[in-house]
Structures are given as structure tokens and as C-alpha cells.
Amino acid sequence: MEYVLTADSLTKRYRHFKALDHLSLHIPKGAIYGMVGRNGAGKTTLIRIICGLQEATEGEYTLYGKRNTDRDLYKSRKRMGAVVETPSIYLGMTAEENLKEQYRILGMPSFAGIRELLELVGLEDTGKKKAKNFSLGMRQRLGIALALCGEPDFLVLDEPINGLDPQGIIEMRELILKLNRERKITFLISSHILDELARLATHYGFVDGGRMVKELSAKELEEACRKCMRVDVTDVKALSRTLDQMGLDYNVISHTQADIFAQVNLSDLVLALDRENCQVLTASERDESLESYFISLVGGASHE
Amino acid sequence: MNRLLSAGFVRLKKEKFLWIAVIFMALFGILMSYNAYQYKQEYGLEPSLGQTLFAYGQFVGILASVFSGLFLGTEYSDGTMRNKLIAGHRRITVYLSGLILNVTAALLMVLSFQLALFAAGALLLGLEPFSVDTGFLLFHLAGGFLLTVAYCAIFTFISMLVQKRAVASVTAILVSFILLFAGAIVLSRLSEPEYYSNYNITMDSGDVVETEREPNPHYLRGTERKVYEFLLDFLPGAQSLRLSEGGLDHWQPLAYSLLLAVFFTGGGILLFKRKNLN
């Protein structure tokens, strides 16, 4: 698999506080990589390091094949855009002036494409209105437009839907999906709003306490979260034999518990198990969400 | 670097404070010429405006500090510093472009003062009051330039290393005033006469008694005087006051300005390279 960004054992210390603790990460090309973690988990620190705003204390990362220790890493950085925390825009300038300024910073030969960018983020009618008078959603979209100057292949968005109203959230989601599908832009999106991330991400990385707890694709997550019936029985071996005979998909959790991934006729199952001298003690339907998967990974304690 | 400067100059043109400062300096220049004109009208003596061309010295530090805090501080308050680094610009070029923009703005203020003074002076008094020794003129132009660069280096150092715009602005302004006051104190201590002049007292009897001249206890002597003389050359605030009176008479102040500019820029780049930015 081709990766846009990989990180290996990245560590960042601020005096005695460890914000990142040997974190590793793999973002495949073309993915929308959702980085999930509670506040203070280390998501923004990781993004700051990737963007060159801070140096890692230990470990390394590779961006488009260039290591962070390579002198020409800045060439790879030109292929990326980012919105870190708040949108980085001159509040005293209009949307168009902001984009022109970014074009100059990037050394673009002309201002062609600015109109298209404004239309893409829905800010084409803002005219002479200065960014300081924009709503939060408009500023966020202008921040993304700035990050899109220079046609990057990789976009990093730190909490892009924080503070947006429901309409703004929908617009942001549609914009990200459009850019991913039409322009083949790879995304790294950090968020703690899991339901929203679940609508976008093709890959996930679960971060907690500065560590990467688990990385998996959306397909793998779907498998892990799919609907099932959890049964408590007196003999799990008998249950396995019965389920095999019935041709049902299942997963043994413990010596008394198993998850069955199918619609089961409970009466048939109880009768079949009875023939094996096995009793069903409890049966409950489970439908794990991204949120409950996250909680099961990192634990529910110390939530803010 | 060229890209950052190109973007920076466009921002510079839109910076309101720069134009307020430029207008202020122009008005100050016109006022100085008008004062000289009134002086001539009142006393009939030909004023000298050649050295007045450098009267900007007393203001340039303060104005540069305000400008630097506002202009470079915006990069942090609006978060746009990030755009430059994410776009692949190196920290050294980001820092140096900030310094160059600061120096450009300060020199525009200086130029505005000198042009306004010259134009108004020439209109009111003709060109005669501007006739000065070429050596004096070149030496003070160089001194003024290096002093402006030194001030800008100090304020760029503060503005690039303090991430909060309000804190950076207040710190830069405070430093500019402290430097100016320190310079004024040094200049005043060194101006103390060595002796109090003798004077005559007329007694009740009508006799006139001449007093002995007395040594001034505040007069600086020995090592202390040497330290103060060094500070007079070294401190930008002291240089400002001397420049504004056309009183730069040796090369050491110019060398110290250059040294300060190199020291603060070199140190600033080193610290900025290691700085954790948000």
C-alpha cells in the first residue's frame, strides 16, 4: 500500500509532560483518515509536528517519502495544506485578498483559480466583506480554501466542524467528500465528534494518552461494530458445535459468551442447545457504534 | 524569500498604522521647518536645518516598536504564520522577511519626515539653511540608518518570539521607552559640569564678594565616567538623542548599532528555529 504519511514512534515532551508517546501512524494515499481521540489525547500536537510548527522530541515521520530529518522535506510540505485549530486567515482582508496573499506566499504565477476556489467553498458572493465579519463556518471554509491554494494532494484538518451549525457541518462534510472523490485529495481529519467522522472516514486511528491505540480501515471497523446477538451459555463448546451445524457466523468472547452475527430464531437455538445439554442463560442484541467501539478501546474513565 | 517579501509588501501597503506614522512624521517635519521660519522672523537669524534632518531620531524607536508589534504580531494573532511554514518556507526566511519589512516601514517613516522637512523648509526659507558639510551629512545618514536597523532588529526579536500580539506590542513599546529614558539619563549625567561656576554676592554693606568655583559632586569621574561614555555610544536610546541633535561625532555608535542588529537577528533566528509554534 502506498502511504502519504507514516509516523514511527513519535514522541513529544513539553518539560515533564509527554504529549505524544511513541505514536505510530499510517495514512494510505486517497484515504480520509479520521484521527479519533478525546481532548488532550495528542491529536493537535501530532498535526503541529507534521506541519513543521513543532519538532518531535524522538521518533520520525515520512511525508511523501521524505523523512523529517531530510533537508528537502520542505518540498514534500508544498504538496500539503492544513487548517490547524483555528483557520489561519488575515481578519482585516476580504476572502479574495486572503487567497491572493496565499498565492503570493506560494509563488503562484497568476491569480487564476481564485474564483474557482471561492465558488468551491461557497464564498464567491462575499465581495468586500472582511474576514473578521465572517461567521465561524465561513472562516472555516476560507481556511480550507487557503489550504487548497497550490492544489495540494494532502489536506490536514484539525477539528474542522468544531463550532459549526448543523447546516455548516453538512456543507463541510460534502466539501470534504467532493475534494476526496473529484480531486483525489488524501485527508487527515482529527475530531472528537465521532458520529460525523463515521460519515466520512475510510480509515481510522484511535489515539489516547499520546499513543496510537489502534489503526483500522472503515471496513474493518464495520466488521467489528456489526449487529450481533450476544448469548450467555453454560457450555460454549456446545454452542460452537450447534452454530457450526446451523451455518451461522459467530465469535467466541469467553468460555460462556459468544456473539452471533445473524438473525437467529431463538426457540430453534434453545432447543438445539438443549439437545447438547447446554442452557441459554441470557441473550441480548448488540449494535456497536463508533462511539462504543472507541470507549471499549480507550476505556470510559477520565472522560472530559 | 522573494515570495514572502512580495506578500509582505502588499500587506505593508494595507497597514493603517504605517500610514498614520508616515503622516505623523511628515507633520513633525513640517512643524520643525515652521519653527525655524518663526525663529528667523523673530530674531532675524538664519536657522540651520541641515542637522534638523535627523531630529526623527527621538521618535523612530517608538514608532518602529508600535509598528513591529502590530504588523508581525498579526501573523500570530491571525495564525497566518502557520500558512508560511506549512507552505514550505524555512524559518530563517520567515524571520528575515519580517525584519526586512520592519526596516522598510521604519525607513519610510524616516523618509517621510526628511522629505516633508526639506520641502517645507525649502518653501519657507529656501535652500540655504540646508547647506551642511557633506561628511557630516553622510555620517549621520549612515548612523541614522544603522540605528533604525538596530531598533528594528530588537523589535523583530520581540515580535517573532512572543506569540501573543498584545504582549509583544506592549513589551516592544516598553523597551523603546526604557531605551530612550536610559539614553536621556546617561546623556544628562555626562552633561553635568565639572565645577559650579563662580558667582558674585552683594552684601548688605554693598561689598561684592566673589565666591570660589566649587567642584560638582554629581560630575562623573574615573571608571564610572568611562562606563557612562560607553553606554552613551552603545545604547540605542542615547544614540537616538545624539542623532536628533546632529551630535554623532565618532564611529563607535555606528559599530555598536551594527553589532546590536547582528546580535539580535542571529539570536532571534536561533531561538525562532527551535520555537514550538501553535
Side-chain angles (χ1 to χ4, degrees), chain A residues 50-202:
Chain A
I50 292 163
C51 292
L53 303 175
Q54 301 192 359
E55 290 279 331
T57 316
E58 286 171 40
E60 61 173 36
Y61 64 90
T62 306
L63 182 66
Y64 283 108
K66 301 280 181 202
R67 287 184 180 182
N68 57 318
T69 47
D70 291 348
R71 286 184 68 83
D72 54 352
L73 174 71
Y74 70 94
K75 287 181 185 166
S76 292
R77 282 236 168 79
K78 288 179 180 172
R79 295 181 67 181
M80 70 181 278
V83 182
V84 185
E85 290 183 298
T86 51
S88 308
I89 51 179
Y90 290 110
L91 297 175
M93 290 186 186
T94 65
E96 190 177 339
E97 285 168 345
N98 263 291
L99 289 172
K100 281 185 176 173
E101 191 71 356
Q102 187 65 9
Y103 265 51
R104 288 186 198 101
I105 287 169
L106 291 165
M108 307 281 278
S110 78
F111 294 133
I114 285 185
R115 192 78 209 154
E116 190 193 340
L117 270 177
L118 286 171
E119 281 169 10
L120 183 73
V121 296
L123 293 175
E124 70 274 23
D125 297 325
T126 50
K128 291 185 176 173
K129 192 175 183 178
K130 296 207 166 142
K132 64 183 169 195
N133 299 319
F134 282 10
S135 68
L136 193 61
M138 288 164 81
R139 287 185 193 184
Q140 196 72 270
R141 279 182 280 146
L142 179 56
I144 291 183
L146 281 176
L148 285 169
C149 291
E151 301 188 349
D153 303 311
F154 178 39
L155 213 52
V156 179
L157 303 178
D158 186 17
E159 306 282 2
I161 55 168
N162 255 10
L164 297 189
D165 58 20
Q167 181 64 26
I169 291 173
I170 294 166
E171 285 171 5
M172 184 62 65
R173 185 200 311 149
E174 284 174 355
L175 177 63
I176 291 168
L177 288 171
K178 185 176 174 184
L179 291 169
N180 179 250
R181 282 175 194 152
E182 293 178 8
R183 298 195 181 193
K184 309 289 177 208
I185 294 176
T186 305
F187 279 88
L188 165 60
I189 302 173
S190 91
S191 182
H192 58 262
I193 304 174
L194 303 181
D195 283 348
E196 193 49 44
L197 208 54
R199 294 166 198 248
L200 285 169
T202 59

Side-chain angles (χ1 to χ4, degrees), chain B residues 180-254:
Chain B
L180 208 56
F181 285 135
I185 290 167
V186 169
L187 203 59
S188 143
R189 289 302 309 274
L190 284 169
S191 305
E192 288 280 350
E194 192 170 1
Y195 293 97
Y196 289 128
S197 340
N198 51 348
Y199 50 91
N200 298 332
I201 301 171
T202 309
M203 309 297 283
D204 290 342
S205 60
D207 296 337
V208 176
V209 178
E210 191 177 348
T211 59
E212 291 283 314
R213 66 174 192 165
E214 282 182 37
N216 179 359
H218 299 297
Y219 182 77
L220 297 167
R221 290 181 170 81
T223 314
E224 203 180 3
R225 184 161 195 90
K226 282 195 172 124
V227 170
Y228 270 76
E229 280 172 348
F230 164 75
L231 289 175
L232 185 70
D233 287 344
F234 182 75
L235 286 176
Q239 285 190 43
S240 277
L241 297 172
R242 288 170 77 192
L243 177 76
S244 63
E245 292 166 357
L248 291 179
D249 49 10
H250 53 286
W251 61 268
Q252 280 90 342
L254 280 67

